[in-house]
Amino acid sequence: MNFPEQKGVHELEAKANLLRRHVIRMIHAAGSGHPGGSLSAADIVTALFFKVMDHSPENVDSVDRDHFILSKGHAAPIYYAALAECGYFPVDELVTLRKLHSRLQGHPSRVKTKGVEMSTGSLGQGLSAANGLALALRMKGLDRRVYCLCGDGEMAEGQIWEAAMFASHYHLDNVICIVDRNGLQIDGRTEDVMSLEPLGDKWQAFGWNVLYMNGNDIGQVLDTLKAAKAHRGSPTVIVAKTVKGKGVSFMENNVGFHGKAPNDKEFEQAMKELGGSV
Amino acid sequence: MTWAVESQRKNYGKALVELGRTRKDIVVLDADLSGSTRTVEFAKAYPERFFNCGIAEQNMMGTAAGLALGGMTVFASTFAVFATGRAYDQVRQSIAYPDLNVKIVASHAGITVGMDGASHQTMEDIALMNAIPNMTVIVPADGPQTYRAVLAVAERPGPAYIRMGRSDVPVITSDKDEFVVGKASVMVDGSDIALVGTGQMVVPCLEAAEMLKQKGISARVINLSTIKPLDTATLIKAARECGAVVTAEEHNIVSGVGTLVAAALAESYPVPMQRVGMQDIFGQSGESDELMKEYGMGTKDVAAAAIKVMERKK
Ligand SMILES: Cc1ncc(C[n+]2csc(CCOP(=O)(O)OP(=O)(O)O)c2C)c(N)n1
Ligand SMILES: [Mg+2]
């Protein structure tokens, strides 16, 4: 199975919506989990898994493929939804999220879940691993990309900037870091908790190629990822402006739904808004 | 047995507010988890003495050290896995080695974190903190004891680590109990076996003692709430008078509380021992009660360990 084909924007939008419904269903079934950051990243994850990245369940153990590391591991539901829809494991299994003996851990586990390339959950660590993987690809002469998805609150971790320095020093132009700039973390707005701006300028000062996009506009996401892939000589970061909780009205820009499951009523409304049945 | 349940974290928040009222030197730091750790209570009461560090635990610990250099008494909080793991070197080099007045009070320790899974379930934190010289290590058994422990460490200069869980836990201590750092408490007297519980594992020890009583076994239950300094006197007395010991901890048995108790007894009064705890494997997602059973840390497991170790009594 090769995904970098033909899929049009319209089709991808429908796919993103399907993944969003999975996310809501999974978190509702589990009774806990992180809807906000899963929904903000849904369009980016969809573009990557169903169009941009060359990957498949058949070559899951191969190094010679494009790679994805979810540095903001709490967004595991959107990751699992994409993996299931790509055939890494049955879609039916999604509702076992966070349950005892499930393969779908609260945060991604490389050991437990087929398709998960790196165990994450402790924020700030994904980009370093992406760099190492990118370095290995280059040493092996493989022209592949490593996509790393980070949160914006996560930018406060010092390790992110250690990794930023490393990638630029070693000219890791096969690393593409995407920052889900939804403006919220747990204790509130990023700019109230720990100000980040000017975020893009910071990356630029660290030697990165900096791109901006509306991360909830699939057309823009595809164009920007294409430009990122084409860029050579330095690593690329994409600051993706998104809406936390995107697609479910009462979750949008609502810090309360960072890490809370919808109750039965909220579940029904969310599914309705996402154009699905309960 | 039935008890009322209470959150350790809520008691921490309450203690901070109480301390802040009279002590202007109290400063509180958090790393984007103030709602979970309940430092938010202090933040609301004394906003000028609360600083959110964002998701940057290492920087938080270093900053705490600096505030202590400036004469402040600092409480720094986040989840236990990050406080002790992510920021380990900052805690060691910048807080413990210079012997600074920083209290690390961490929540969501152990497997009872539940559904977040192994990445968040620290079972090494006691080992890590205990291995650092100058560090006081306290694992309160319930909410009220957490409250008293927080007030107690505020009175003592130097670094301290207090471990709290996520769940609401049965209230087994009384407001009349004084909290003395370094003193274990005998909750039930007994003479056939000593059950030494730490933190949330004291309750299974109490319940196991009841089960054992039905079998005619007299179990002593000890709440070992200070891990360092270790109350060796109470432990040796229990070993001498009961002749066998079971330790129970929500922590890896490798380098955990059981290991410390075994070492202390081995040097003075060795008796047969059995350790209940995580058997050196990572946990997984699940409900906390399910996980405690899954990993052999339930009441039945403590009782079974007691019966097993008693067979080895001389
Ligand atoms: C090292 C570390 N510290 C704290 C946490 C707890 N935590 C989980 S999610 C989160 C907020 C993340 O905010 P952000 O990076 O903006 O993610 P998003 O908004 O996309 O969900 C925090 C503090 C963690 N997982 N790892
Ligand atoms: Mg965010």
Side-chain angles (χ1 to χ4, degrees):
Chain A
M1 185 161 37
N2 239 10
F3 290 107
E5 4 160 296
Q6 60 328 93
K7 286 230 169 66
V9 169
H10 206 67
E11 215 176 316
L12 287 171
E13 280 168 355
K15 187 66 87 181
N17 233 27
L18 173 67
L19 298 194
R20 285 191 164 94
R21 291 200 293 274
H22 284 323
V23 164
I24 296 296
R25 195 185 298 282
M26 293 161 77
I27 296 175
H28 176 251
S32 71
H34 299 82
S38 291
L39 296 176
S40 61
D43 304 294
I44 296 164
V45 169
T46 302
L48 285 170
F49 278 83
F50 296 93
K51 177 93 182 189
V52 176
M53 292 198 307
D54 177 21
H55 72 105
S56 83
E58 287 72 44
N59 70 3
V60 65
D61 293 323
S62 166
V63 179
D64 190 9
R65 74 204 291 263
D66 287 328
H67 301 275
F68 177 78
I69 292 177
L70 183 66
S71 192
K72 44 171 253 180
H74 57 279
I78 189 66
Y79 191 12
Y80 297 153
L83 288 172
E85 285 292 337
C86 287
Y88 285 86
F89 52 83
V91 171
D92 288 350
E93 205 173 316
L94 287 175
V95 289
T96 67
L97 174 73
R98 292 179 160 246
K99 302 223 160 89
L100 190 67
H101 303 310
S102 169
R103 293 196 285 185
L104 306 181
Q105 295 296 295
H107 292 77
S109 163
R110 164 183 168 75
V111 180
K112 300 230 174 187
T113 312
K114 184 171 174 187
V116 168
E117 296 190 68
M118 186 59 186
S119 304
T120 52
S122 181
L123 292 167
Q125 306 199 18
L127 188 56
S128 302
N131 286 344
L133 181 50
L135 208 52
L137 289 167
R138 189 165 76 189
M139 291 165 79
K140 292 186 169 180
L142 299 170
D143 184 25
R144 296 296 192 174
R145 297 293 179 278
V146 184
Y147 297 90
C148 178
L149 180 59
C150 295
D152 50 1
E154 187 183 5
M155 295 293 109
E157 284 290 359
Q159 189 181 346
I160 291 285
W161 303 98
E162 296 173 25
M165 216 181 286
F166 183 97
S168 135
H169 180 80
Y170 287 104
H171 307 288
L172 294 176
D173 57 8
N174 50 353
V175 170
I176 297 171
C177 178
I178 304 161
V179 182
D180 185 350
R181 187 76 175 103
N182 58 29
L184 297 177
Q185 45 194 104
I186 292 184
D187 279 346
R189 298 169 56 233
T190 56
E191 298 315 286
D192 292 335
V193 177
M194 188 54 59
S195 15
L196 291 175
E197 292 301 337
L199 182 59
D201 293 355
K202 287 190 172 78
W203 284 95
Q204 192 155 23
F206 274 73
W208 285 56
N209 173 42
V210 184
L211 302 175
Y212 298 86
M213 69 182 180
N214 176 346
N216 294 129
D217 176 331
I218 292 224
Q220 263 194 50
V221 173
L222 291 177
D223 291 346
T224 315
L225 285 170
K226 197 168 165 192
K229 201 175 159 187
H231 178 80
R232 309 270 56 175
S234 59
T236 293
V237 64
I238 306 173
V239 180
K241 181 90 193 63
T242 62
V243 172
K244 199 154 176 170
K246 177 76 181 175
V248 177
S249 60
F250 57 91
M251 291 185 179
E252 288 192 359
N253 284 315
N254 181 355
V255 78
F257 273 104
H258 165 83
K260 189 178 76 173
N263 61 30
D264 292 346
K265 223 177 114 223
E266 290 162 341
F267 167 66
E268 278 176 34
Q269 193 189 331
M271 292 304 274
K272 207 163 16 166
E273 289 185 20
L274 293 168
S277 54
V278 174
Chain B
M1 290 185 220
T2 51
W3 292 279
V5 294
E6 232 178 71
S7 150
Q8 293 187 298
R9 301 179 274 145
K10 276 203 185 116
N11 275 277
Y12 172 44
K14 194 172 89 176
L16 283 181
V17 171
E18 172 65 21
L19 277 170
R21 201 164 49 81
T22 51
R23 299 248 323 246
K24 302 298 173 211
D25 61 315
I26 303 277
V27 176
V28 177
L29 304 180
D30 204 301
D32 197 31
L33 288 168
S34 66
S36 293
T37 63
R38 300 317 294 165
T39 59
V40 67
E41 303 298 340
F42 185 92
K44 277 193 255 171
Y46 319 104
E48 69 291 347
R49 283 187 275 146
F50 172 82
F51 300 93
N52 200 326
C53 301
I55 311 171
E57 298 77 11
Q58 298 169 311
N59 184 55
M60 173 171 77
M61 293 306 177
T63 306
L67 280 159
L69 286 176
M72 301 299 179
T73 299
V74 190
F75 283 81
S77 293
T78 176
F79 288 173
V81 69
F82 309 129
T84 65
R86 183 53 152 272
Y88 177 79
D89 199 47
Q90 283 74 12
V91 171
R92 181 190 189 274
Q93 311 287 6
S94 295
I95 294 174
Y97 178 40
D99 203 10
L100 292 170
N101 203 13
V102 176
K103 322 300 179 189
I104 299 157
V105 184
S107 71
H108 292 64
I111 193 108
T112 48
V113 164
M115 295 202 173
D116 274 347
S119 58
H120 286 54
Q121 295 162 341
T122 178
M123 45 168 188
E124 319 87 54
D125 58 317
I126 296 175
L128 286 168
M129 292 299 104
N130 204 67
I132 309 177
N134 290 343
M135 186 65 76
T136 296
V137 179
I138 296 173
V139 185
D142 67 4
Q145 194 171 43
T146 304
Y147 180 83
R148 292 191 297 275
V150 170
L151 297 187
V153 296
E155 295 304 319
R156 285 162 54 100
Y161 173 63
I162 298 183
R163 175 196 229 221
M164 305 185 289
R166 177 183 71 93
S167 338
D168 290 352
V169 289
V171 176
I172 54 169
T173 68
S174 137
D175 280 332
K176 282 175 227 100
D177 302 335
E178 200 192 347
F179 187 86
V180 182
V181 174
K183 193 85 195 77
S185 54
V186 177
M187 302 197 63
V188 177
D189 208 1
S191 53
D192 295 331
I193 176 88
L195 308 178
V196 179
T198 292
Q200 304 200 18
M201 290 304 291
V202 178
V203 166
C205 289
L206 289 169
E207 290 172 337
E210 278 296 308
M211 283 173 66
L212 293 167
K213 201 201 257 170
Q214 313 295 316
K215 294 196 159 75
I217 299 168
S218 158
R220 179 177 305 189
V221 178
I222 295 172
N223 172 6
L224 188 64
S225 47
T226 308
I227 311 305
K228 192 156 93 177
L230 193 65
D231 186 354
T232 46
T234 298
L235 293 169
I236 291 166
K237 184 165 185 282
R240 199 186 300 273
E241 292 172 4
C242 302
V245 172
V246 168
T247 56
E249 60 194 302
E250 191 196 348
H251 188 274
N252 199 347
I253 60 158
V254 173
S255 303
V257 176
T259 310
L260 293 164
V261 171
L265 294 182
E267 285 178 346
S268 316
Y269 197 89
V271 293
M273 263 192 72
Q274 195 77 27
R275 293 170 298 162
V276 172
M278 286 296 279
Q279 303 293 313
D280 201 24
I281 45 170
F282 282 107
Q284 61 175 308
S285 293
E287 302 276 4
S288 31
D289 296 352
E290 292 175 337
L291 291 169
M292 292 300 266
K293 287 203 190 84
E294 177 77 12
Y295 293 103
M297 293 182 285
T299 298
K300 288 203 182 94
D301 302 297
V302 175
I307 288 165
K308 191 169 160 199
V309 74
M310 282 182 65
E311 284 166 9
R312 287 165 45 218
K313 270 173 77 165
K314 284 159 228 142

